[in-house]
Amino acid sequence: MVLNSLDKMIQLQKNTANIRNICVLAHVDHGKTTLADCLISSNGIISSRLAGKLRYMDSREDEQVRGITMKSSAISLHYAEGNKEYLINLIDSPGHVDFSSEVSTAVRICDGCIIVVDAVEGVCPQTQAVLRQAWLENIRPVLVINKIDRLIVELKFTPQEAYCHLKNILEQINALTGTLFTSKVLEERAEREAESQVNPNSEQGEQVYDWSTGLEDTDDSHLYFSPDQGNVVFTSAIDGWGFGIEHFAKIYSQKTGIRKEVLLKTLWGDYYINMKAKKIMKVDQAKGKKPLFVQLILENIWSLYDALLKKDKEKTDKIVTSLGLKIGAREARHSDPRVQINAICSQWLPISQAVLAMVCQKLPSPLDITAERVEKLMCAGSQTFDSLPPETQALKAAFMKCGSEDTAPVIIFVSKMFAVDAKALPQNKPRPLTQEEIAERRERARRRHAEKLAAAQGQAPMEPTQDAGALEMSSQGEEPKDDEQEVESETPKPVPPEGSEQESFIAFARVFSGVARRGKRIFVLGPKYSPLEFLQQIQISVSEPIIPFRETITKPPKVDMVNEEIGKQQKVAVIHQTKEDQSKIPEGIQVDSDGLITMTTPNKLATLSVRALPLPEEVTQILEESSDLIRSMEQLTSSLNEGKNNSQMIHQKTQEKIWEFKGKLEHHLTGRKWRNTVDQIWSFGPRKCGPNILVNKSEDFQNSVWTGFNGKASKEASRYRDLGNSIVSGFQLATLSGPMCEEPLMGVCFVLEKWDLSKFEEQTASNKQSQEPGDLAKEGQGEGDTRSCGDEQQELQDHGSEPFEKRASQRGESPLTDCYGPFSGQLIATMKEACRYALQVKPQRLMAAMYTCDIMATSDVLAHSVTFLYKIIPSDPFWVPTTEEEYLHFGEKADSENQARKYMNAVRKRKGLYVEEKIVEHAEKQRTLSKNK
């Protein structure tokens, strides 16, 4: 029903027994604002077609952009049920955990709340948080299980499966409520026990009690959610329908002749109906039958959705006729079945009627506020009600009465307040001027100009006009209203201006008693939660600093841990230990004596051989310093792959920097081991700009990061581009998280020695030859359209029975690609694992972040410079004694602490990774003495 006048609102506010102050609480994206839209549309404020799309309560621009509620907002709704009319003050609160303060603000000034739960996601963390918040503030909740349509459309549940799923959700919520109730009872019992211990007169027998006594004596049946109690409603806010079992109990009571009270108790639960005898039986009397909730309610809704989604017009017309509904011509012609679902269900099961009826029947009015909650609202912090002044204690009766007479004391509970600039208030924001206001301003400007001319000519000033009076009247605004509404809303409270700056307090408040009028004097009690007291109670704890690490490899050591040179015998022991480490590598992976890893993809179509080498420190430093330049090179290379002309895009200075960077690498990477390495660099990593390099020494495929800048692109690079990108991606993943503690790699060179794709080419050629020439041409054309490499399309020619490789060379080497399909994924995974195993067969080390400070002092200036760099921790985190000297010095167990291993395990614990460590040491087995028989 629509509120047509302000007098009607004032009349409803005076009838305190028919006022409901409620808030909507839920996890994020469970449908609070959509539900609020449906309730608002019932009052004619917005169209029912826009409900769920407009998000009327999200009035802020950032809320509309992000699609989430960030600030609580309030609105008053009118609901009529029979001869009774209700005023429902509704607050829509955020569901995101970052805005939980808005939830606590809304809960404190409400008498009840609606808990919204997604029928698919069930109870989520924020659902538990808001239910606990409502419990702590002692307000009564009701439950709305929303998005029932998702069980039909998305999960494809049958009515029986949906019923079992809804039962599980109710059990989860009731279990949480039971936990809150149990903790409260046990706390009260503990307080009584503490008081009895303080009292010396109590007998010893009175101090001993059973913890379960309080739980047995306390009635908690009214706390739980159950449809037969009327505090649960099933809805689909996006489709505009909802129902409680009372609605169907009334319908089937008229059809079957069974009393409504009986149906209310049996429509939910394991009860079944015998239509012939018109009796309701329990599960043991009618096994294999459907429960009443499934048979009488859910199956009807499922059949309606099935008819509309399948566009079965005959069945739809039959259902609409049997329900006595009418569908508009516009909805009937609409192609979207959800529009027709909304049009039918919103008439058959209006969501606003189901939810608002439950709110009015099950949630309390302001008159039902408990004395315990009133005392809690009036006391601040640890203060007790008895310690308050007598005149303050006398206000408790006014709190409980909630009177709106002029003689009643004005009591306003402010749950949140903050200062804003007066210009930010809605009434002070600039608005378009009317024609009368524009004409009035012109007249004022003309008069002021005439006064200035008169003053300049030495004439007497003109008589004062009525402008000042008009301005004074306009600044006062509208006349104050006779009665302010008793509603949680954002109420501006002006503060006297100081100087030229004006500020106003915006408060989220509730009027408990009396009538608040503008200009009335207000006595303010102290805040319930003082920020200073709260900050004094906070214990500041500083966490340990998190030191960034990097992983790398080094050359094999020449001396052992006791600085003794490793001889031939010791080298044999070291090799034996290395073989033991290599035995941990899974089967199917070949490891050479020099650390070359050979792996085959799971489908056996490609073989990769990878080796890991440590880079010189100078090269690692150059790569770190040139990260921006490497990133620019990557962007230019990607633009070349897209078919753009790079020669015109690259600036001359950029080209000079690139060749200078290449020259530095060639200067430091010398010797037989690094011959032609710089020209064969394929990629940098991680993130394609890090201090690690991938070198391609495969004879079948040649590609380099310098190819695009030379203006030469090999045919192999174009042909193997997609598969080559998969290899590079595997290298990027391997360098992003190392095998020791998943930290990025640093100073490692991965060499791709071999890349065998002969089996993949044979399979591709056999697939091509098995097709007809015409189909081959069509497929080649289709592949050219869908390729992501950016190659120019080339027409296929019919060469009869010539080999595939020869035909491919004649038509420009068509790329070998599966368009990033399963084979590309296998290449990525195989390359990543090959790089990790290549690292594990080498001596691994951790690099810790270090800060060095250079102090430069002269006679005039004292300066310092701080440098950030990584230093290698020399100890091996996986070290075990191998030489005779190490056995003599450290013993077999090497009990002395390994600092590098300690760092590695600390990082793995912080990341939640598995840590291999001894939990119990030097334990003795318990000996059990058995009796002699």
Side-chain angles (χ1 to χ4, degrees), residues 321-459:
T321 305
S322 62
L323 294 175
L325 306 178
K326 293 182 180 179
I327 307 180
R330 178 180 178 183
E331 287 81 5
R333 293 194 305 266
H334 207 284
S335 59
D336 188 3
R338 300 304 290 262
V339 176
Q340 300 175 2
I341 291 174
N342 193 312
I344 296 174
C345 293
S346 59
Q347 298 179 58
W348 177 35
L349 303 171
I351 184 174
S352 58
Q353 183 177 350
V355 175
L356 295 181
M358 177 179 65
V359 166
C360 296
Q361 294 172 8
K362 297 300 176 181
L363 295 184
S365 68
L367 294 175
D368 297 329
I369 188 172
T370 60
E372 179 186 359
R373 191 180 180 208
V374 171
E375 294 178 1
K376 187 178 179 181
L377 292 174
M378 296 180 68
C379 299
S382 59
Q383 190 179 25
T384 60
F385 182 74
D386 297 334
S387 63
L388 295 175
E391 55 272 14
T392 305
Q393 293 185 21
L395 295 175
K396 179 179 177 180
F399 255 107
M400 304 283 291
K401 187 179 179 182
C402 293
S404 57
E405 302 86 7
D406 293 337
T407 57
V410 180
I411 301 176
I412 303 175
F413 180 79
V414 179
S415 63
K416 188 174 184 179
M417 179 183 289
F418 52 93
V420 297
D421 190 1
K423 297 179 181 178
L425 296 176
Q427 61 266 28
N428 296 334
K429 289 185 178 180
R431 58 180 178 81
L433 298 177
T434 61
Q435 294 296 330
E436 293 78 6
E437 290 174 338
I438 294 175
E440 185 179 356
R441 290 197 176 191
R442 287 175 181 170
E443 183 65 21
R444 289 177 188 172
R446 187 187 62 78
R447 291 180 181 179
R448 283 196 296 268
H449 183 64
E451 289 177 0
K452 289 179 181 179
L453 289 177
Q457 295 175 3
Q459 297 179 2

Side-chain angles (χ1 to χ4, degrees), residues 25-32 95-97 115-133 143-144 146-147 150 165 168-170 172-174 176:
L25 309 176
H27 189 77
V28 64
D29 287 337
H30 277 203
K32 299 179 301 300
H96 201 281
V97 66
I115 305 293
V116 182
V117 178
D118 192 323
V120 174
E121 297 181 3
V123 179
C124 294
Q126 198 62 15
T127 310
Q128 302 179 16
V130 297
L131 192 58
R132 186 176 294 107
Q133 185 75 29
L143 180 64
V144 171
N146 193 24
K147 301 187 180 181
R150 293 184 64 189
H165 183 73
N168 292 335
I169 292 177
L170 275 175
Q172 293 174 13
I173 300 174
N174 287 332
L176 180 58

Side-chain angles (χ1 to χ4, degrees), residues 858-869:
T858 62
S859 57
D860 300 327
V861 180
L862 177 63
H864 68 278
S865 63
V866 180
T867 307
F868 175 81
L869 70 158

Side-chain angles (χ1 to χ4, degrees), residues 412 414 416-428 476 478 480-481 484-485 487-496 503-511 516-520 522:
I412 303 175
V414 179
K416 188 174 184 179
M417 179 183 289
F418 52 93
V420 297
D421 190 1
K423 297 179 181 178
L425 296 176
Q427 61 266 28
N428 296 334
Q476 290 179 359
E478 298 179 355
K481 298 180 178 63
E484 292 289 336
Q485 61 179 4
V487 57
E488 306 86 344
S489 59
E490 293 188 355
T491 310
K493 297 186 178 180
V495 175
E503 282 190 347
S504 294
F505 281 114
I506 300 296
F508 211 74
R510 170 178 171 182
V511 179
R517 288 192 176 91
R518 194 173 299 171
K520 213 171 196 178
I522 298 177

Side-chain angles (χ1 to χ4, degrees), residues 10 61 104 122 146 237 334 354 455 543 603 694 729 795 850 878 908:
I10 296 172
E61 183 180 357
S104 59
N146 193 24
H334 207 284
S543 61
N603 58 6
L694 173 64
S729 298
E795 295 181 347
M850 300 288 182
F878 303 103
R908 293 184 69 88

Side-chain angles (χ1 to χ4, degrees), residues 27 37 175 241 364 402 479 483 502 537 575 595 668 686 836 876:
H27 189 77
D37 272 7
W241 60 267
C402 293
E479 290 295 326
D483 295 281
Q502 261 191 336
Q537 296 175 358
I575 293 171
H668 292 286
R836 292 176 73 93
D876 183 4

Side-chain angles (χ1 to χ4, degrees), residues 53-70:
K53 304 173 184 176
L54 185 62
R55 302 205 313 272
Y56 183 77
M57 302 297 280
D58 292 346
S59 56
R60 293 163 55 100
E61 183 180 357
D62 49 358
E63 290 178 325
Q64 291 288 339
V65 171
R66 298 177 62 180
I68 60 172
T69 304
M70 301 167 62

